[in-house]
Amino acid sequence: MTGLPHTSAAPTADNGKPLEEPSRIRAPRRGDPVWRVFGDARATLMAPQLLLLQVSHPVVGAGVADHSAFRAEPWPRLIRTLLSLTTVVYGGQAAATAEARRLIRVHAPMKGTDSEGRRYHALNPEAYHWVHATLVKGPVDAQRLFGRAMTDGELAEYYRGMRDVGRVWGLRDHHLPPDWPSFVEYYDEMVAHRLERNRSVQDVLDELARPAKPFRWIPGPLWRPVARLAAHYALLVTVGTLPPVLRTRLRLPWSARQERSLRRFARLVRLLATLTPPPLRIAGSLAIAYWATHRPGTDAAARQPLGAW
């Protein structure tokens, strides 16, 4: 995770310390805008797009290529990511702070030189913020495409909450744009000037086109039709929701026919969402967060009710 709000140049560390120790900055609480929006089932449909955006950043892409087991174990990697994200957003204050500290420890040794000869470090604030930025934007785009677009007031309140999530993760206040319009300006600038096609981008696209079996015991004849259907819609949503300028840079074709298919799929999801009571839309995320904070081996001191201070 990492990024700076008003520059596309790779920043230096703040006095040798790229991030600050995760503090008691307020984590999301039950009923907050972040609580209602972030884990909405419709937002999960954007997950592959967010991953593609993240690894398009040169630092994130190099770190994933050199230090991640994504290519060999995409499903365990996805599960670990879901456990981490839901812990920070839904797990309550103690669990969120503990998970943020763990993430910094895990990323601290991840450094090296990419294929272009550029040195990188996983805790570079620009890259860390960019990952956070994709997580801010993805649920907003999901609401717009698969539901009702958020109002300016809702966006302002949601962004304030997600800005605090960034602070919980260890980003400093000056790393984060102060409000939603500034965030959109920063986001567009990053897309226009900082993202690129790299080895990790290709790995993500290859996995989306040919999803691996989540469990080895699933028979191939049973998995193949499921995988084809999943690949079709995952690529449709992922490519179709990318900013057009990035889609062109990544050399991903997009046709009017594909656009119509995406709109039809979005209408179906929108219909299903209207039939689902709002609390049930985040039930999956709450279940994952509960397991992440209460499974055997977790810190008993962090096992508070979800969303607790």
Side-chain angles (χ1 to χ4, degrees):
M1 292 179 35
T2 65
L4 283 178
H6 301 301
T7 177
S8 60
T12 57
D14 296 343
N15 299 320
K17 188 178 181 183
L19 302 174
E20 62 183 350
E21 175 69 11
S23 64
R24 300 288 286 184
I25 297 294
R26 185 180 183 275
R29 304 272 289 279
R30 185 177 294 273
D32 283 354
V34 171
W35 178 284
R36 297 194 303 268
V37 173
F38 185 86
D40 190 305
R42 291 167 291 184
T44 63
L45 297 173
M46 303 290 290
Q49 187 245 37
L50 302 191
L51 179 57
L52 192 63
L53 283 166
Q54 290 166 14
V55 300
S56 296
H57 189 286
V59 173
V60 181
V64 169
D66 292 347
H67 300 280
S68 173
F70 173 78
R71 286 189 298 170
E73 301 177 326
W75 285 101
R77 175 73 169 76
L78 173 62
I79 291 170
R80 289 193 297 271
T81 299
L82 287 174
L83 290 172
S84 178
L85 291 176
T86 55
T87 295
V88 172
V89 175
Y90 294 104
Q93 191 70 39
T97 303
E99 177 59 15
R101 289 177 176 145
R102 186 194 71 82
L103 286 173
I104 290 179
R105 289 196 303 270
V106 167
H107 286 90
M110 296 182 183
K111 59 181 72 175
T113 303
D114 68 13
S115 60
E116 302 295 323
R118 299 169 297 194
R119 295 177 63 187
Y120 69 86
H121 191 292
L123 293 184
N124 169 282
E126 185 192 86
Y128 217 73
H129 179 222
W130 174 244
V131 174
H132 171 259
T134 66
L135 298 172
V136 172
K137 188 75 157 43
V140 174
D141 291 341
Q143 290 289 323
R144 175 179 49 79
L145 180 62
F146 299 120
R148 177 186 61 81
M150 298 169 69
T151 67
D152 290 344
E154 289 170 336
L155 286 169
E157 195 176 1
Y158 165 79
Y159 180 69
R160 280 195 295 271
M162 284 301 292
R163 197 174 187 276
D164 283 346
V165 169
R167 295 292 309 283
V168 171
W169 264 317
L171 288 162
R172 296 171 184 262
D173 188 68
H174 69 268
H175 292 151
L176 298 155
D179 52 35
W180 178 254
S182 299
F183 170 81
V184 173
E185 181 182 355
Y186 150 78
Y187 187 94
D188 291 344
E189 183 76 8
M190 289 291 290
V191 169
H193 300 292
R194 198 75 172 100
L195 307 185
E196 63 182 25
R197 186 181 180 100
N198 54 45
R199 169 182 156 192
S200 292
V201 167
Q202 190 58 54
D203 287 343
V204 170
L205 291 171
D206 289 346
E207 179 59 30
L208 289 178
R210 293 178 293 278
K213 290 191 291 187
F215 304 105
R216 294 182 180 178
W217 49 262
I218 299 178
L222 180 62
W223 173 246
R224 280 191 288 272
V226 174
R228 281 195 296 270
L229 187 64
H232 172 74
Y233 285 107
L235 283 169
L236 190 70
V237 173
T238 298
V239 177
T241 57
L242 284 177
V245 64
L246 182 61
R247 198 160 56 209
T248 299
R249 190 179 311 144
L250 299 183
R251 302 191 294 276
L252 298 173
W254 186 251
S255 66
R257 180 179 179 182
Q258 288 171 304
E259 180 69 25
R260 290 192 296 270
S261 294
L262 176 60
R263 298 301 163 185
R264 286 195 296 270
F265 179 64
R267 285 195 294 271
L268 175 61
V269 174
R270 198 176 300 122
L271 173 62
L272 294 175
T274 60
L275 301 176
T276 305
L280 291 182
R281 297 173 193 164
I282 63 169
S285 294
L286 295 179
I288 294 171
Y290 187 86
W291 167 248
T293 55
H294 289 73
R295 69 187 188 277
T298 54
D299 182 4
R303 294 176 185 172
Q304 300 173 333
L306 298 184
W309 178 261

